[in-house]
Amino acid sequence: MKTILIPVDFSKESEQALTVGASIAKRISAKLVLTHMTEFDDVSLTHEPVDTMTKRIYYSKLTSKRFDEFLDKDFLENIIVEPVLQNHIDFKSISTMAEEISADMIIMGSNGSKGISEITTGSNTEKVVRNSSVPLLVVKKNGIHFSSENVLFVSDFKEESVDAFKRISIVAKMLNAKMDFLYINLPGKSFKSTKQMDETLFAFFKKAEHPDPVAAIKMVNRYADFSIEEGINNYSHLSSADIIAIPTHGRKGLSHLLHGSISEDVANHSMKPVLTVKI
């Protein structure tokens, strides 16, 4: 049985993720594993062990009740749902948990992150994007009705992205979705001639063990724009893409501040669902 992991905080964004997860689970006969992280900090509470235990029991019961209320939805009928309570807050651990339970994908709701918070801390969803080697689907609470008929894979098609491409292809196949391909050609030093793009694409599909790399090259849409994010947004509005799929390097620390992350920006700002996987 397929497994879908959904981190929840009982917000509207979590409910949107649950709605999408239920829709997918019904189509592929998957179970949903919902995880909620408590706000207890073992270090800060060690001075009062008895009081800590009382608080943990109380919070566990309260969370259990919130889970019951959160899961009291008609669209979850006939779907296996497993709630899991974690006694720590660490969004990096979501990826670890996904691997431990052999999750096929993670689904998270997001309302994006803006302004200074986007530069310094980012959203909880971003933290999972940076660390997850399991495909992560980011959906927005105010997004259009979810559909997964067409997945648009966006990449620079460097050979380092092949493994991420294979994992995204597995998800697309699982969703019974058609995959389209997009290469954004940028001005300046990043510009590539048609011949250079063909060489890059051929090497990529050959490494990906595509049965016909030459034919695969012809399937890639080439779009010119001033930035990757602008190109993705502009092209996706013209295409029939339901989901934008993009690999990520998972940059952290100073590297993230200096160079940013295209996948995080797209996940933050795109109204369409975004599927990411760490390179």
Side-chain angles (χ1 to χ4, degrees):
M1 175 176 281
K2 303 293 185 183
T3 301
I4 298 172
L5 176 63
I6 306 178
V8 302
D9 59 4
F10 309 112
S11 63
K12 290 181 180 180
E13 289 81 12
S14 290
E15 187 167 346
Q16 177 65 13
L18 180 63
T19 303
V20 171
S23 171
I24 294 174
K26 287 179 179 178
R27 284 193 285 115
I28 67 173
S29 299
K31 70 176 180 180
L32 302 180
V33 177
L34 274 59
T35 180
H36 174 70
M37 292 179 280
T38 72
E39 296 183 357
F40 279 110
D41 187 330
D42 289 332
V43 176
S44 64
L45 295 174
T46 50
H47 299 296
E48 301 178 41
V50 177
D51 189 49
T52 298
M53 183 59 67
T54 303
K55 288 180 179 179
R56 285 191 183 280
I57 293 173
Y58 170 78
Y59 195 86
S60 179
K61 289 182 178 179
L62 179 63
T63 304
S64 228
K65 181 181 178 182
R66 294 190 72 184
F67 259 128
D68 289 341
E69 295 171 351
F70 187 69
L71 297 176
D72 186 19
K73 295 176 173 61
D74 293 338
F75 62 75
L76 291 175
E77 187 176 355
N78 299 322
I79 297 177
I80 298 174
V81 181
E82 297 180 5
V84 177
L85 177 62
Q86 296 189 69
N87 292 321
H88 65 281
I89 294 180
D90 179 8
F91 285 89
K92 296 178 183 178
S93 69
I94 296 296
S95 177
T96 303
M97 181 180 181
E99 293 173 2
E100 288 175 349
I101 65 173
S102 299
D104 296 277
M105 67 187 305
I106 304 169
I107 301 178
M108 290 187 72
S110 174
N111 60 4
S113 181
K114 300 179 181 179
I116 191 67
S117 64
E118 182 173 0
I119 298 172
T120 56
T121 57
S123 67
N124 292 328
T125 304
E126 284 178 328
K127 295 169 187 174
V128 182
V129 168
R130 292 171 202 166
N131 292 281
S132 182
S133 56
V134 175
L136 165 66
L137 181 65
V138 180
V139 296
K140 302 294 177 65
K141 66 175 182 179
N142 54 345
I144 58 177
H145 181 69
F146 177 76
S147 176
S148 60
E149 292 183 7
N150 296 285
V151 173
L152 179 64
F153 178 77
V154 186
S155 176
D156 55 11
F157 292 92
K158 291 181 179 178
E159 293 184 34
E160 65 180 0
S161 299
V162 167
D163 287 341
F165 163 69
K166 288 181 177 180
R167 278 174 277 169
I168 288 174
S169 297
I170 291 172
V171 173
K173 185 176 182 180
M174 182 177 73
L175 297 175
N176 195 28
K178 175 180 177 291
M179 275 192 77
D180 290 323
F181 305 91
L182 177 63
Y183 179 92
I184 307 295
N185 204 10
L186 301 177
K189 294 182 179 179
S190 298
F191 175 81
K192 286 189 176 181
S193 67
T194 298
K195 181 181 179 182
Q196 288 173 320
M197 282 190 285
D198 284 346
E199 290 171 348
T200 297
L201 293 170
F202 181 82
F204 177 87
F205 285 113
K206 185 176 181 181
K207 186 174 179 62
E209 300 177 327
H210 192 283
D212 191 346
V214 175
I217 290 174
K218 298 176 182 178
M219 296 189 299
V220 179
N221 300 284
R222 300 140 192 245
Y223 191 85
D225 217 318
F226 293 103
S227 74
I228 300 295
E229 186 179 358
E230 286 179 300
I232 292 172
N233 288 334
N234 291 331
Y235 182 85
S236 65
H237 288 315
L238 298 173
S239 72
S240 57
D242 297 309
I243 297 173
I244 298 170
I246 182 168
T248 177
H249 283 92
R251 290 193 179 102
K252 303 174 186 177
L254 184 60
S255 176
H256 179 262
L257 289 174
L258 292 176
H259 305 291
S261 169
I262 294 170
S263 57
E264 287 180 30
D265 289 341
V266 175
N268 256 336
H269 305 142
S270 173
M271 293 316 302
K272 292 191 177 185
V274 176
L275 182 66
T276 72
V277 63
K278 186 177 177 182
I279 294 174

